[in-house]
Amino acid sequence: MSGNGEAERGPIVLAHARAFRIGALDIDPRLRRVAHDDGRENILEPRVMQVLVALGRNAGDIVTRDDLMTTCWGGLVVGEDSLNRVMSRLRRLGDGLAFGVFTVETITKVGYRLIIAGGGDAAPSPGGVLMAPGERPRLALPGKPSIAVLPFKNLSGETGRDYLADAITGDLVTALARWRWFFVIARHSSFTYRDRDLDPRRIGEELGVRYILTGSLAAAGSRVRVNAQLIDAADGGALWADKFDHELVDVFTLQDEITEQVVGVIEPAMLEGEAARSGRKSLADFSAMDCFYRGMARLNQITALADQEALQLFREAVKLDPDLALGHIGIARILYGQAIFGAAEEPTANLTTALSEARIAIGLDAREAQGHFAAAAALLYLGDHAAALEAARTAISLNSSFAYAHYRLGQVLVFSGLPAQAIAPLERCLRLSPYDPQSGPILETLALAHYQARAYQLAAERAESAKRVSGAGGAVLAAALARLGRLDEAEKALAGVSRRGPSPQRPLAAPYANATDLEHLREGVRMAGMATRV
């Protein structure tokens, strides 16, 4: 099979279609099987295989929607949802078993094109492209962003430290792989670049990745310094770099701490990079993932207008790809955020819809931690504390590097009457994402946890931090200061607090499981001089 500039319009009968090969893949339409050279294989749904055959017949060329209707649906007119679902499943194949072999490109309002790594054609099986000895093919970028973690270098001069550098590299690969919206190159592929000083752009081409994480380790006595750098493989530019100093007391604890700190900043840095990349595109050319990236950028601006724009982008993502779990998660986050922060006309309706969207996302990808994180918020404010607690813990179990999952667990514990237990996950959230755009509300919740645990001095300190960052935490600060007997300061702290709720940021009634906890906060605010409802 090879592209000929014109789609073959005859109906595709899988029982009569011949086998063909794309790169490392053997495709047998009769058995609906796609087999990789490494032994892995997938069985495709009939319609998905028909579309793969149609695109494979014309690899590199555009196949129009009308052509697909003729060759794969027998001329039937089907809705956009049917076609989108098939293309979504085909992209999953391209992002999974066929990662680095081919991608499917959408040509807006026209059709689709199968892009094969290296620009080759689909060939009759057996086949494949012969490479010169030692030469590696240039792999096509997958539909999602991807990253390779190169082996960290041991600069300490002690060969005995090589194991530690390797262990940190391996831990980073494992931790990053828990993020479902991007791909991480397997450890054995990354380690082939050990002791090879190559241009990051070349490595990116050979591995088919957009990002490369490099680093080094230097040990001196009981101290260890780890340097890490995130590189854009397209131009070799550094997107982020930092160093981490630790005491070498317990090796396993050291590995965990470094992995946690590095991964905590890599994910938002990549998300920011993807948002900037999509921002250079025309809106008409946005894919579902582009809409997700831009929506997340708007969500993190934390304004009513930005939330509305984010909601439109997330809805467009779902329209383009109904099976994109991240799109449904984005919708859920905006809807429950509007309910919590006072922008919804019917907060309960928003929360109910948010929970429904989160559950759709979980149904599409149960291992995506963000779906359970979103469900936990809606469940909490709908008053189901037990289910919210379970959802938050599930999110952490799926991705322990997900900062917001720890925030959600702390929030649920506070309102479930377990404030002392909430402090550790909230502090871990801030450690994982120290410069988070939503650090104000996170600090406010930490202050509330200390307040409800009767640690008023710590509550006042954390509430002061929240107020400096975003203006949040005024009511908690006033209540804590009042409990400490600092009534003049408490009265001043109330000056900027809205009288419609506990704080300007949280007008929705706090979802306490125990009325005594809410009364404890109310009483503190009354002591500060505010007699109206809080």
Side-chain angles (χ1 to χ4, degrees), residues 156-210:
S156 65
E158 303 176 34
T159 57
R161 299 292 188 195
D162 288 346
Y163 80 92
L164 183 56
D166 288 350
I168 290 171
T169 305
D171 286 351
L172 286 169
V173 170
T174 300
L176 285 169
R178 296 192 181 108
W179 291 98
R180 307 281 285 176
W181 66 269
F182 59 82
F183 290 100
V184 183
I185 295 297
R187 183 180 186 274
H188 69 270
S189 294
S190 296
F191 269 69
T192 62
Y193 290 88
R194 179 195 295 282
D195 301 323
R196 297 177 65 195
D197 192 15
L198 299 177
D199 187 321
R201 287 170 292 188
R202 177 178 169 183
I203 298 174
E205 291 173 350
E206 291 183 355
L207 291 177
V209 297
R210 297 185 192 177

Side-chain angles (χ1 to χ4, degrees), residues 1-8 10 12 20-22 27 44 47-65 67-69 71-73 83 86-91 93-94 102-107 110-116 120-123:
M1 293 183 176
S2 62
N4 58 15
E6 183 179 353
E8 297 182 31
I12 293 171
F20 61 100
R21 184 172 174 85
I22 301 177
I27 300 167
L44 304 185
R47 196 75 72 189
V48 179
M49 178 56 81
Q50 284 179 302
V51 172
L52 177 57
V53 172
L55 295 177
R57 283 177 174 177
N58 301 275
D61 294 327
I62 298 172
V63 180
T64 68
R65 290 171 177 257
D67 287 333
L68 288 176
M69 294 304 160
T71 58
C72 303
W73 274 270
L83 183 56
V86 170
M87 300 310 299
S88 174
R89 285 166 172 77
L90 191 54
R91 285 196 173 94
L93 176 69
F102 71 74
T103 58
V104 178
E105 180 184 11
T106 299
I107 309 301
V110 178
Y112 303 90
R113 178 166 55 186
L114 191 75
I115 305 297
I116 299 175
D121 295 333

Side-chain angles (χ1 to χ4, degrees), residues 373-389:
F373 156 78
L379 288 164
L380 174 63
Y381 277 86
L382 287 170
D384 193 340
H385 295 76
L389 191 59

Side-chain angles (χ1 to χ4, degrees), residues 98-309:
F99 171 63
V101 178
F102 71 74
T103 58
V104 178
E105 180 184 11
T106 299
I107 309 301
T108 305
K109 297 183 180 179
V110 178
Y112 303 90
R113 178 166 55 186
L114 191 75
I115 305 297
I116 299 175
D121 295 333
S125 183
V129 180
L130 294 176
M131 305 297 298
E135 183 182 356
R136 295 189 178 189
R138 294 186 176 187
L139 298 181
L141 291 175
K144 293 181 181 180
S146 51
I147 182 172
V149 183
L150 299 189
F152 275 40
K153 296 180 179 179
N154 172 24
L155 303 180
S156 65
E158 303 176 34
T159 57
R161 299 292 188 195
D162 288 346
Y163 80 92
L164 183 56
D166 288 350
I168 290 171
T169 305
D171 286 351
L172 286 169
V173 170
T174 300
L176 285 169
R178 296 192 181 108
W179 291 98
R180 307 281 285 176
W181 66 269
F182 59 82
F183 290 100
V184 183
I185 295 297
R187 183 180 186 274
H188 69 270
S189 294
S190 296
F191 269 69
T192 62
Y193 290 88
R194 179 195 295 282
D195 301 323
R196 297 177 65 195
D197 192 15
L198 299 177
D199 187 321
R201 287 170 292 188
R202 177 178 169 183
I203 298 174
E205 291 173 350
E206 291 183 355
L207 291 177
V209 297
R210 297 185 192 177
Y211 303 97
I212 294 172
L213 180 64
T214 65
S216 63
L217 175 149
S222 63
R223 299 286 298 174
V224 174
R225 168 169 290 183
V226 172
N227 288 285
Q229 187 177 44
L230 182 67
I231 299 172
D232 188 331
D235 58 16
L239 297 175
W240 163 87
D242 207 345
K243 63 178 182 293
F244 307 90
D245 292 306
H246 291 271
E247 286 288 337
L248 182 54
V249 179
D250 182 300
V251 172
F252 294 113
T253 300
L254 173 66
Q255 290 174 217
D256 289 344
E257 289 180 352
I258 292 173
T259 300
E260 187 177 84
Q261 286 182 280
V262 174
V263 174
V265 293
I266 289 297
E267 189 271 342
M270 286 179 61
L271 189 59
E272 184 177 342
E274 289 304 306
R277 191 188 305 275
S278 66
R280 294 191 287 270
K281 290 184 177 183
S282 164
L283 285 173
D285 296 328
F286 268 26
S287 67
M289 286 300 293
D290 288 327
C291 291
F292 167 71
Y293 302 139
R294 297 298 292 169
M296 287 301 299
R298 295 289 190 273
L299 183 151
N300 284 327
Q301 291 177 9
I302 321 177
T303 68
L305 177 59
D307 280 355
Q308 284 295 337
E309 293 174 348

